[in-house]
Amino acid sequence: MATKNLSEYDIEKVPSARGMKFGIVVAEWNYEITGALAEGAFETLKKHGADEKNIIVKHVPGSFELILGAQYMAEYTDVDAVIVLGCVIQGETPHFDYICAGVTQGITDLNIKYNKPFIFGVLTTNNQQQALDRAGGRLGNKGDEAAVTAIKMVALRNDIN
Ligand code: RBF
């Protein structure tokens, strides 16, 4: 598992997010964690120039529903990128492998289907402490990292297009 601080990045290498539109889909399961991821993502997008009114935040029950929630976002809004945020903790579920595999493949497929960035901000950890560490704790916030990734991918599209 990565041990780098997820909130540390080279600020010089992050393009401006001015004018970009983002969707954030947040799983309610383990909300203590996913709410913190969402806050991190939202604040990081704003920090880099995104307008609050260009960030749509929607919630789904669990990580498994992130796939369809993200598809709705792409289908029914004009966002440039979708960030999905969830937290699956191994100790709490025998479903762990199934949920993780389903979400990973589902989100991967959406990138190709829509030719649009769907950013994978799902923590898959062995226990709650590891998740807390990555949701604004000792190892930063995966939401921050997901937001920076979304900005970079939209900028890449704008650059090539
Ligand atoms: N959703 C999560 O986002 N994280 C979890 O750790 C998680 N654990 C689950 C454990 C069990 C036993 C079940 C049945 C569901 C779990 N889910 C979890 C919810 C799942 O993503 C989905 O919302 C439900 O399975 C839909 O009924």
Side-chain angles (χ1 to χ4, degrees), residues 27-141:
E28 289 167 342
W29 198 283
N30 294 317
Y31 198 70
E32 180 189 359
I33 310 285
T34 61
L37 299 180
E39 192 171 333
F42 193 83
E43 292 305 320
T44 300
L45 293 175
K46 282 203 308 182
K47 176 174 146 190
H48 289 285
D51 193 320
E52 236 176 87
K53 73 174 179 357
N54 286 332
I55 307 172
I56 304 172
V57 182
K58 296 289 176 193
H59 294 83
V60 295
S63 289
F64 197 75
E65 288 73 40
L66 287 170
I67 307 159
L68 188 56
Q71 172 153 313
Y72 287 162
M73 198 67 95
E75 197 74 38
Y76 305 131
T77 78
D78 62 350
V79 295
D80 297 302
V82 183
I83 297 167
V84 304
L85 301 172
C87 172
V88 194
I89 300 176
Q90 181 146 38
E92 289 178 7
T93 174
H95 286 42
F96 182 82
D97 293 332
Y98 300 109
I99 295 175
C100 292
V103 182
T104 310
Q105 192 58 52
I107 299 302
T108 304
D109 293 347
L110 288 177
N111 278 274
I112 308 308
K113 179 174 173 188
Y114 286 94
N115 195 32
K116 206 175 257 231
F118 289 78
I119 309 303
F120 189 78
V122 180
L123 290 172
T124 56
T125 61
N126 295 324
N127 55 53
Q128 195 185 26
Q129 188 57 52
Q130 287 180 342
L132 287 167
D133 289 347
R134 293 161 176 79
R138 169 176 89 77
L139 296 172
N141 190 325

